[in-house]
Amino acid sequence: MRNFLIFIFFLLLFPFFSQASTDRFEKNKTIVISPDHNPRIDFGVDKVSNALKDVGFQALIKNINLKLPFPGVKGSIIIGELNDDLISRNLPLTVKKQVQTAGKEGFSIYNNPNGLLYVIGFDPSGTLYGCLELVERIKARGEIPTQIELTDHPEMVMRGTCIGLQKTDYLPGHDVYEYPYTPETFPWLYDKQLWIKYLDMMVENRYNSLYLWNGHPFSSLVKLKDYPYAVEVDDATFKKNEEIFRFLTAEADKRGIWVIQMFYNIIIPKPFADKFGMKTQDRNRPIVPVIADYTKKSIAAFVEKYPNVGLMVALGEAMEGVGQDDIDWFTKTIIPGVKDGLKAAGIKNEPPIVLRAHDTDAPEVMKAALPFYKNLYTENKFNGEALTTYAPRGAWAELNRKLASIGTMNISNVHILANLEPFRYGSADFIQKSVQAMNKIYGAKGLHLYPQASYWDWPYTADKTKTRELQIDRDWIWYKEWARYAWNSNRDRSAEINYWGTELAKKYGTDLSGGKAILNAYEESGEISPKLLRRYGITDGNRQTLTLGMLMTQLINPYRYGVFTLMYESEAPEGEMIIDYAEKEWKKQSHVGETPVQIAKEVIGHGKMAVESINRASVTKDTAEFRKLKNDMYCYNAMANFYAEKVKAALWVLRYKYSNNVADLEKALPFLESSVKYYTELVRLTENDYLYANSMQTKQRKIPMRGVDKTFIHWKEMLPVFTKELDHFKHSIDSLKNLKGDLTAKIIPYKNADVKILSSGTESYILDKNVQVFSDTSAQIKEITEQLVGLNGIKLSKEQQIKVGTEIKFSTKIPVKLLVGYFNQKDGKTLLPPQLEIDASANNYGQSEIKISNAIVVNGFAPINVHAYSFPAGTHTLNLGKGACLLLGFIDDKQELRIFNAGLDGHGKDIDWLFE
């Protein structure tokens, strides 16, 4: 009886044991992998394991063993790469074909009829991306997909983001780009948790390259036996740099990310420069053997020490641009340095070398380099240092197409974004079309993405908050949008509206309609800055901060400020500048393409729609950030109206240039007053929300005002300038009405300063009509503005200027300005004027701005623009690049240089005096 009862007890209990055993079995999920571990695949497997855990499964990792049966049972997940034999031999033929078709970084996810789920990559990165895709689907559905057949691969081969190890101002004793890696200068560089956060953002968005920008990083990362004095950091910092760099490269590699260290040429460390009595950088310096040897050995030591790191080389800007020096430096110094490092480390695979096409003849450099090195890329800016159009054309598009066809891969660089900062930007439509343009117009196969704003102030935004806000938190949508379209730019537009509407709805706690309204606000506001810059701006470079506004003289006389015409010719739709539109209106000629009036109307519409759209969204999550986003939409609206009103005023002012009718100026006045009112509103909107508009806070930034020592960086600093401009204009109108005629500025001739010329082989001459300007040609002055007559010019050989450049040595007991005349033509024989777009040192002497436009006409040449180089008392040597120019003489630094257009080009009178 007792045994019978025991039997009944266990019989009744058995179903419970059976059910528990079944539950335990069903809650286990086997992941089958190869025993040949790869850090990228291991990272992906770990992500899948965690996702399974989140939905109630326990992941059991099993390695394939040829001596044992295949460990995959029904419900197992097989993860690996195609070329792993242990994985490949157990794959269905269908999966193999799909993965082979996907190619580099591609993958296939497939459920077979037997209940096995395959995640197979073409390579380790492809396997990683397959894992991440599976994780996203598990998270979205809360369960493992049971029916899936998906193959995917990226469109862009290189998809990278950029971080600048640079600052908003210069370090003491250093020049632009010169920032040794130290905890004092870059405390964030040593924050491992911040790096993990950033790298996780990158892998989540499928970025595969991280560019670190610095002028000369080697003196912070390697020590050379032959040049021990070149190290710029102490021993403790050097060890920290080694540790963090190894940590960063290892963590990046797990996530399928190449770390690519950028450097400029030719910049040398300060201790090295001091030892040899050199400047750390000198654009016009020829290749010096000791500098070449130091650089070559630095690169070799770097490659040997950090084998998982690529290099990005900027040949131009810090060394004189296009020429044989570029080719020699790249093929005789840089590439041999890389090869020496590979040999020393016993590495056969070439790391990538990316040649920045900026200010160099990249096709010629690549032609010379390819026989020596194969893993080469070129990189070129998409819209200069801004975002202006998704329909680039002209010479810039042609250059990019050429770079894409020379046998190396071209990468499109979305650079600086000087016209976007600091307001939030997230136009999925504009960004998608831009990536499509990279593919279809440029033929580019890579993306190199800068932060959306505050590049010089990484990792922080310009937002005024108690604790500085991180760019990767605020600008999450910027990184996500570019990455999504770099992977696949040909996504259906209507589906994308739903996708981003859903993403924004989740972030801000609203419904799909609210999410779409937020997206529409992003997209309406996203048209404003691109349209404003491409139709009214001076430059696509970061010497202009668009959101701070523009002076009236910059609108009515852009050539005075060195207008960068390539922006209008290539980085904008066909259309007209303000000055061209006004001239055609006066002459009653028809207009062509996009006009200033059209853009004024359009940006007002975009601003209005952005505000209306953001007001339609009712949110319950992340409300503090949403308030800032909403405020940005109001900022965009105020900025759009400020520009539109000011442009309307400018057109009436330019009409006066032809009509001499004061009534035209009176018609301009209400529009200029209205623009100041809108700017006052912009000040109110930004005063408590932003620390600054622009992160470029050095002498390189010129427009609307020169930004020396962090001045004119906020709207509240610019409002008095615009108010003064308005008041001066009112006074000018009153003066004209009272005089009942024309009013011009009084001409004050410049006086010669007492300067001793130390250069041999020079002679002086007195500037006037009909005098010879070169020692070896008969070219004479035909016309000259009165202010320059009587100055002691310095006569040089034109041929020598073209062959070797211009050098002048002199001494002075007082501060002086040297006036230099640049011919307004580009023919390879005349010296190009200072251009901050290509030369960061172009304003080291205050020389970047034209002081007198069209000041001299020399027979056989285009009119001359005058620039001024300032020098303190002492002995100096000025080296200028190759090409003919005129040294017009020295004046006392205290003598006022009124900026104006002398008008000797035959295109009308100077009217800048109306505003200054």
Side-chain angles (χ1 to χ4, degrees), residues 274-344:
D274 291 345
K275 181 175 178 62
F276 289 96
M278 302 174 175
K279 294 180 180 179
T280 54
Q281 49 184 298
D282 183 349
R283 181 175 170 84
N284 300 306
R285 176 170 53 203
I287 294 175
V288 178
V290 69
I291 296 179
D293 185 64
Y294 162 74
T295 305
K296 178 182 174 183
K297 288 175 178 174
S298 294
I299 292 170
F302 180 81
V303 171
E304 180 183 4
K305 190 173 185 178
Y306 304 107
N308 293 324
V309 181
L311 291 171
M312 182 175 184
V313 183
L315 289 178
E317 190 159 356
M319 68 184 288
E320 188 174 4
V322 180
Q324 186 62 39
D325 279 359
D326 289 18
I327 295 172
D328 290 344
W329 190 254
F330 195 67
T331 58
K332 296 179 181 179
T333 298
I334 293 171
I335 290 178
V338 173
K339 286 191 166 187
D340 287 350
L342 292 175
K343 184 178 179 181

Side-chain angles (χ1 to χ4, degrees), residues 240-419:
K240 288 181 180 179
N241 290 345
E242 287 182 315
E243 180 191 355
I244 198 65
F245 217 78
R246 286 181 175 133
F247 168 83
L248 172 60
T249 53
E251 289 296 327
D253 186 48
K254 287 180 190 176
R255 295 163 176 80
I257 299 166
W258 270 100
V259 175
I260 299 176
Q261 177 67 65
M262 180 269 182
F263 61 100
Y264 280 89
N265 289 282
I266 302 173
I267 294 179
I268 54 179
K270 194 172 188 310
F272 183 99
D274 291 345
K275 181 175 178 62
F276 289 96
M278 302 174 175
K279 294 180 180 179
T280 54
Q281 49 184 298
D282 183 349
R283 181 175 170 84
N284 300 306
R285 176 170 53 203
I287 294 175
V288 178
V290 69
I291 296 179
D293 185 64
Y294 162 74
T295 305
K296 178 182 174 183
K297 288 175 178 174
S298 294
I299 292 170
F302 180 81
V303 171
E304 180 183 4
K305 190 173 185 178
Y306 304 107
N308 293 324
V309 181
L311 291 171
M312 182 175 184
V313 183
L315 289 178
E317 190 159 356
M319 68 184 288
E320 188 174 4
V322 180
Q324 186 62 39
D325 279 359
D326 289 18
I327 295 172
D328 290 344
W329 190 254
F330 195 67
T331 58
K332 296 179 181 179
T333 298
I334 293 171
I335 290 178
V338 173
K339 286 191 166 187
D340 287 350
L342 292 175
K343 184 178 179 181
I347 299 171
K348 293 184 178 179
N349 293 330
E350 295 178 340
I353 301 179
V354 182
L355 173 65
R356 191 179 180 214
H358 177 73
D359 193 29
T360 190
D361 188 346
E364 284 301 308
V365 175
M366 288 289 101
K367 181 181 177 182
L370 274 169
F372 305 103
Y373 201 90
K374 299 304 178 187
N375 196 15
L376 296 173
Y377 300 78
T378 57
E379 176 262 21
N380 205 31
K381 294 172 183 174
F382 177 60
N383 285 166
E385 295 177 344
L387 192 63
T388 57
T389 184
Y390 44 74
R393 60 191 179 93
W396 198 245
E398 191 58 41
L399 171 61
N400 277 278
R401 282 193 289 268
K402 186 175 183 179
L403 291 171
S405 66
I406 59 176
T408 55
M409 191 174 298
N410 191 36
I411 300 168
S412 272
N413 173 210
V414 181
H415 193 91
I416 293 291
L417 293 314
N419 66 324

Side-chain angles (χ1 to χ4, degrees), residues 618-633:
S618 178
V619 306
T620 60
K621 288 170 58 180
D622 211 351
T623 54
E625 169 59 23
F626 184 76
R627 186 204 67 78
K628 295 178 195 173
L629 174 61
K630 187 173 183 178
N631 191 66
D632 278 359
M633 297 303 135

Side-chain angles (χ1 to χ4, degrees), residues 74-112:
K74 185 176 181 180
S76 296
I77 303 174
I78 293 80
I79 299 176
E81 62 173 312
L82 183 64
N83 64 1
D84 187 314
D85 186 58
L86 292 175
I87 292 290
S88 185
R89 67 172 60 193
N90 292 289
L91 293 181
L93 184 60
T94 304
V95 176
K96 287 184 179 180
K97 288 182 177 179
Q98 288 174 337
V99 178
Q100 286 170 344
T101 302
K104 186 179 180 182
E105 293 188 303
F107 64 87
S108 183
I109 305 176
Y110 174 73
N111 273 116
N112 76 358

Side-chain angles (χ1 to χ4, degrees), residues 86-330:
L86 292 175
I87 292 290
S88 185
R89 67 172 60 193
N90 292 289
L91 293 181
L93 184 60
T94 304
V95 176
K96 287 184 179 180
K97 288 182 177 179
Q98 288 174 337
V99 178
Q100 286 170 344
T101 302
K104 186 179 180 182
E105 293 188 303
F107 64 87
S108 183
I109 305 176
Y110 174 73
N111 273 116
N112 76 358
N114 297 325
L116 294 178
L117 178 61
Y118 295 92
V119 182
I120 309 299
F122 183 84
D123 48 27
S125 289
T127 308
L128 168 60
Y129 295 145
C131 289
L132 296 177
E133 180 68 31
L134 177 61
V135 167
E136 288 183 2
R137 290 174 181 256
I138 292 172
K139 287 182 177 179
R141 300 179 57 182
E143 61 182 13
I144 303 169
T146 55
Q147 290 186 337
I148 183 171
E149 186 172 347
L150 168 69
T151 299
D152 203 1
H153 62 91
E155 194 172 87
M156 290 285 198
V157 174
M158 294 287 275
R159 306 171 305 283
T161 62
C162 164
I163 290 177
L165 279 102
Q166 303 184 79
K167 303 292 288 183
T168 57
D169 51 7
Y170 295 166
L171 295 180
H174 289 78
D175 209 333
V176 63
Y177 304 133
E178 296 175 13
Y179 300 100
Y181 294 175
T182 68
E184 295 76 24
T185 305
F186 303 111
W188 56 264
L189 175 63
Y190 307 90
D191 186 341
K192 292 182 179 180
Q193 289 306 115
L194 179 59
W195 276 121
I196 292 297
K197 179 175 182 174
Y198 187 80
L199 294 172
D200 282 346
M201 178 280 293
M202 291 187 69
V203 72
E204 178 186 329
N205 287 302
R206 314 306 193 262
Y207 287 111
N208 66 0
S209 44
L210 168 62
Y211 298 82
L212 302 178
W213 278 59
N214 187 268
H216 187 79
F218 307 119
S219 58
S220 298
L221 294 168
V222 296
K223 293 181 179 180
L224 302 178
K225 178 182 176 182
D226 294 341
Y227 303 97
Y229 45 81
V231 178
E232 289 194 271
V233 298
D234 58 40
D235 289 344
T237 299
F238 188 83
K239 288 180 180 178
K240 288 181 180 179
N241 290 345
E242 287 182 315
E243 180 191 355
I244 198 65
F245 217 78
R246 286 181 175 133
F247 168 83
L248 172 60
T249 53
E251 289 296 327
D253 186 48
K254 287 180 190 176
R255 295 163 176 80
I257 299 166
W258 270 100
V259 175
I260 299 176
Q261 177 67 65
M262 180 269 182
F263 61 100
Y264 280 89
N265 289 282
I266 302 173
I267 294 179
I268 54 179
K270 194 172 188 310
F272 183 99
D274 291 345
K275 181 175 178 62
F276 289 96
M278 302 174 175
K279 294 180 180 179
T280 54
Q281 49 184 298
D282 183 349
R283 181 175 170 84
N284 300 306
R285 176 170 53 203
I287 294 175
V288 178
V290 69
I291 296 179
D293 185 64
Y294 162 74
T295 305
K296 178 182 174 183
K297 288 175 178 174
S298 294
I299 292 170
F302 180 81
V303 171
E304 180 183 4
K305 190 173 185 178
Y306 304 107
N308 293 324
V309 181
L311 291 171
M312 182 175 184
V313 183
L315 289 178
E317 190 159 356
M319 68 184 288
E320 188 174 4
V322 180
Q324 186 62 39
D325 279 359
D326 289 18
I327 295 172
D328 290 344
W329 190 254
F330 195 67

